[in-house]
Amino acid sequence: MAEDTVTTTGIARHGAGRLPSVEVDSFNIELKDDDGFLGDRASKGAFRKILDTLRKPLQKNGDDPLGKKSTDEIAKGDLDEALVGDDVAAAALVHGAIEEFAQELAYVTGRFLKTKAWADTERIVVGGGFRQSRVGELAIARTAILLKAEEHDVELVPIRFHPDDAGLIGALHLAPSWIFEGYDSILSVDIGGTNIRCGVVETRWKKAPDLSKAEVWKSELWRHADDEPTREGAVKRLVKMLKDLITEAETEGHKLAPFIGIACPGVINGDGSIEKGAQNLPGNWESSKFNLPASLVEAIPMIGDHDTAVLMHNDGVVQGLSEVPYMQDVERWGVLTIGTGLGNARFTNRRKENGKGEKAKDKGDSDKDDKKAKKGKD
């Protein structure tokens, strides 16, 4: 990409702290202790490591109820089946791993809640691939109980959408509201350390202006980890996926907005560059000479009759944004995504000026407004 390529798209700043519905108080916090990053203690890999440790003494005696497969080779579905199967030893083994993992997740979550950025968090949504299993659901539920026992006044709930869909649907909440009045769908991209997923997301805005009825109309998945492409090769494949989806959406009569929302790992700078955290992506995405939003605008300059606008944010933020319609009964909430690492973001709901769809002001705010009104009359 040429160094003088325009890196902004005229719609908003990438990785913005203020979005249409929420303030992003923090994201991609990397907490550490003496053993390294805390997030590594509550990742998918951490659960597998715990299970493997529990299996080793059983394997020596030939008594491992999970058989001869290595822990990494056992599918999530097989672990779920072990929980409800007739082999009580297998069920007990998986439950033991769930308990130890829940202890770790509760500890890490507690550390987040003690940070200034996560102060007064009322609810935490848990997403990521680990959540999409019975094992994950039980681990989340057990963690919630442990947090209550430790007197943390916070709810812990699984994300509502399938994590794959949540990473695409959340991009709707990056877009300015005027888009929903003239278009019925957007393009969305969810980039991960193993996969890149692209989709067309139907807003269903007329049925639900809060976007609670939004759905993924069609999506495509590419496991880039299997192909080990160069950075340029990955961008080229991504562009092809998007162009194919544009063609299909137009063929089916969708009014596709000239907007692409991107979820990407790492700390996203305002100009669309990535400061850090993209080490699992193909090639060097943190290079000062690489800018994904600019590359996409260059490759897809127009969608329909209008200039393409691209907006990128951290993947944990975007997955969390899919929950915005369901978080209106609280003010401060967060998301943890359990995957290769532990993604995290904390939000505060914004109060719109017209007051619609927002929590009523608390008494302190009302008192201040009353004093201002009284002073004005005086």
Side-chain angles (χ1 to χ4, degrees):
M1 185 184 72
E3 290 186 10
D4 60 351
T5 299
V6 177
T7 59
T8 57
T9 56
I11 195 166
R13 291 177 70 252
H14 304 284
R18 170 168 284 202
L19 297 174
S21 299
V22 297
E23 300 282 352
V24 183
D25 303 314
S26 74
F27 69 89
N28 207 56
I29 292 179
E30 295 180 334
L31 299 179
K32 295 182 179 180
D33 62 9
D34 294 338
D35 297 323
F37 292 109
L38 286 181
D40 293 340
R41 297 173 58 168
S43 64
K44 286 195 297 184
F47 174 80
R48 295 279 175 169
K49 186 176 180 180
I50 290 169
L51 180 59
D52 195 54
T53 300
L54 293 176
R55 292 181 70 197
K56 281 181 179 177
L58 300 175
Q59 289 170 336
K60 287 181 180 179
N61 298 325
D63 294 328
D64 185 352
L66 295 181
K68 295 182 179 181
K69 280 186 179 180
S70 71
T71 302
D72 288 338
E73 292 176 330
I74 301 176
K76 286 189 295 185
D78 292 336
L79 293 178
D80 286 349
E81 289 180 13
L83 287 171
V84 296
D86 294 332
D87 190 336
V88 292
L93 182 58
V94 178
H95 273 291
I98 291 171
E99 176 62 27
E100 287 194 32
F101 180 81
Q103 296 280 351
E104 294 289 341
L105 182 56
Y107 171 74
V108 174
T109 304
R111 286 287 300 273
F112 273 106
L113 293 171
K114 290 177 182 178
T115 65
K116 184 178 180 181
W118 280 65
D120 301 319
T121 299
E122 300 163 74
R123 185 177 298 151
I124 299 173
V125 178
V126 183
F130 185 72
R131 174 261 179 269
Q132 196 59 33
S133 64
R134 185 60 176 168
V135 167
E137 290 176 346
L138 288 173
I140 294 167
R142 178 58 180 150
T143 302
I145 292 171
L146 292 170
L147 288 171
K148 291 291 185 183
E150 294 167 7
E151 299 185 349
H152 288 291
D153 188 17
V154 65
E155 294 179 70
L156 199 71
V157 296
I159 202 164
R160 283 170 174 76
F161 293 104
H162 188 290
D164 292 341
D165 288 348
L168 298 175
I169 291 172
L172 288 171
H173 298 274
L174 297 176
S177 58
W178 57 261
I179 278 181
F180 309 125
E181 296 185 14
Y183 303 95
D184 62 16
S185 52
I186 70 164
L187 287 169
S188 185
V189 179
D190 188 9
I191 300 169
T194 302
N195 305 318
I196 292 179
R197 187 181 299 273
C198 300
V200 174
V201 181
E202 292 181 317
T203 68
R204 303 198 170 186
W205 181 76
K206 292 183 179 179
K207 291 184 177 180
D210 64 354
L211 302 175
S212 60
K213 301 293 185 183
E215 286 189 359
V216 176
W217 172 68
K218 187 161 191 176
S219 66
E220 292 187 15
L221 175 70
W222 171 40
R223 284 183 56 86
H224 64 77
D226 294 341
D227 297 340
E228 299 183 355
T230 62
R231 184 184 68 196
E232 289 68 25
V235 174
K236 186 176 180 180
R237 178 69 177 268
L238 171 57
V239 168
K240 183 182 185 303
M241 292 168 72
L242 288 170
K243 286 183 175 180
D244 288 346
L245 285 170
I246 291 171
T247 299
E248 291 186 60
E250 290 176 345
T251 300
E252 293 298 320
H254 282 289
K255 294 180 180 178
L256 194 60
F259 176 86
I260 304 173
I262 305 175
C264 184
V267 176
I268 311 302
N269 294 321
D271 65 353
S273 60
I274 303 174
E275 182 177 331
K276 61 178 180 178
Q279 64 272 8
N280 293 321
L281 303 183
N284 182 12
W285 289 49
E286 298 172 19
S287 169
S288 60
K289 296 182 179 180
F290 177 68
N291 189 290
L292 179 61
S295 296
L296 293 183
V297 169
E298 186 176 354
I300 309 175
M302 298 186 73
I303 296 176
D305 298 325
H306 299 283
D307 295 337
T308 302
V310 179
L311 205 54
M312 184 165 78
H313 217 306
N314 172 265
D315 56 344
V317 169
V318 177
Q319 190 167 144
L321 290 175
S322 68
E323 288 285 312
V324 164
Y326 314 103
M327 294 294 128
Q328 298 308 304
D329 59 329
V330 294
E331 186 171 2
R332 301 175 185 88
W333 54 284
V335 61
L336 296 174
T337 58
I338 303 174
T340 306
L342 184 69
N344 60 86
R346 218 297 287 265
F347 308 99
T348 297
N349 288 333
R350 290 183 58 193
R351 296 188 175 100
K352 295 183 178 66
E353 291 181 4
N354 62 11
K356 291 182 180 179
E358 295 286 337
K359 289 180 65 177
K361 292 184 178 181
D362 60 32
K363 189 177 186 300
D365 289 337
S366 298
D367 289 345
K368 288 178 184 177
D369 290 346
D370 289 342
K371 288 178 182 178
K372 287 180 181 178
K374 185 176 181 181
K375 185 176 181 180
K377 288 181 180 179
D378 293 342

